[in-house]
Amino acid sequence: MRLEGKTAIVTGGANGIGAGCVRRLAAEGANVVIADVDDRSGDALAAELSDKAIFVRCNVAERASVKALFDAAVAVFGAVDVLVNNAAFVHKPGVIANFLDYSDEAWRRTLDVNLTGMFYCAQTAARFMAKRGHGGVIINMSSGGASRAHRHMFGYDTSKGGIEAATRAMALDLAPLNIRVNAVVPGSTRVEHGTAVGDSPVAPAAVIPLPRQGMPEDIAAAVAFLASDDAAYITGTRIFVDGGMDAQLRTPSVDYSYDFSQFL
């Protein structure tokens, strides 16, 4: 119960890794605000956790929607102590494409959610935390794509690289207020649609040194640690939760050959 009496907001919290974080933070004693655009899953998860959680529909790419989210959190629970910036846009039509085919719409939508949404939520949280004067914690969800590129995921990887740079910059600016900012880097994680990095299940032996794929609970454990006082002297850094994927040189198992003739 390391988070007893704390209030946490988890964006993209209705499903997958976000839902895993919601459940773990609640189990550690926190009141949790589930922020998402998936009303059905958000309401169901809030009902599952009873009086420990509420669901607030929020489009993180809209400043007004983010303000309403934080106002609701404060109205119900009285404060915001932890923000988990988990909402992300990926694996939609047009988003997975070779750089030469990448569309303006995919670029705008990906950065609107992954970077602008992170900025709106983090700045709003930091302002609430600064006003209270008790410090706080902001945790940004990154990806291996921030430092090692995925093929055909230009916008997503760009946004995740920006998230890690933003994490370091925020950590320095907010350190005098005792607001800690860190990033978590998940590896291949099994969620409802297969994995967090693709639509088909990944054979762990092919890409993951540990003999299994990650689960949302694995990511949530790192988030709970960073949110707690056990991590009171940790800020401006990232934690890999990937079964050793980042540590090894890996060869793609997918054929990414591409016909460049149309551009020649």
Side-chain angles (χ1 to χ4, degrees), residues 77-253:
F77 295 123
V80 176
D81 303 286
V82 178
L83 167 67
V84 181
N85 268 318
N86 174 72
F89 181 78
V90 68
H91 294 293
K92 305 296 182 183
V95 176
I96 305 302
N98 184 278
F99 175 72
L100 294 175
D101 291 322
Y102 204 76
S103 69
D104 293 355
E105 175 58 27
W107 174 255
R108 285 191 295 267
R109 182 60 174 156
T110 302
L111 267 64
D112 279 350
V113 175
N114 297 7
L115 272 181
T116 301
M118 179 274 301
F119 163 57
Y120 287 164
C121 290
Q123 187 180 65
T124 304
R127 288 173 173 173
F128 270 93
M129 294 169 183
K131 188 172 183 179
R132 286 186 69 216
H134 299 302
V137 179
I138 297 172
I139 301 166
N140 299 319
M141 203 63 68
S142 184
S143 162
S147 54
R148 298 181 182 228
H150 298 98
R151 292 176 186 257
H152 297 182
M153 293 178 65
F154 165 72
Y156 180 79
D157 286 355
T158 299
S159 71
K160 292 301 183 177
I163 283 173
E164 293 198 359
T167 296
R168 294 187 292 271
M170 285 190 288
L172 296 185
D173 280 358
L174 299 175
L177 300 169
N178 198 32
I179 298 172
R180 298 186 291 105
V181 188
N182 292 291
V184 172
V185 187
S188 178
T189 306
R190 182 171 293 281
V191 292
E192 288 85 352
H193 63 276
T195 80
V197 293
D199 293 330
S200 301
V202 173
V207 293
I208 307 172
L210 289 180
R212 67 175 178 86
Q213 199 171 17
M215 299 295 290
E217 294 81 3
D218 297 311
I219 316 305
V223 167
F225 164 68
L226 289 173
S228 76
D229 288 342
D230 287 343
Y233 203 56
I234 299 175
T235 195
T237 192
R238 57 184 178 167
I239 293 180
F240 285 86
V241 189
D242 65 358
M245 287 178 67
D246 186 70
Q248 74 169 349
L249 179 66
R250 50 197 182 273
T251 302
S253 57

Side-chain angles (χ1 to χ4, degrees), residues 11-37:
T11 68
N15 298 285
I17 289 173
C21 292
V22 168
R23 291 187 176 97
R24 178 61 184 261
L25 295 175
E28 295 257 6
N31 300 310
V32 187
V33 180
I34 305 160
D36 211 298
V37 294

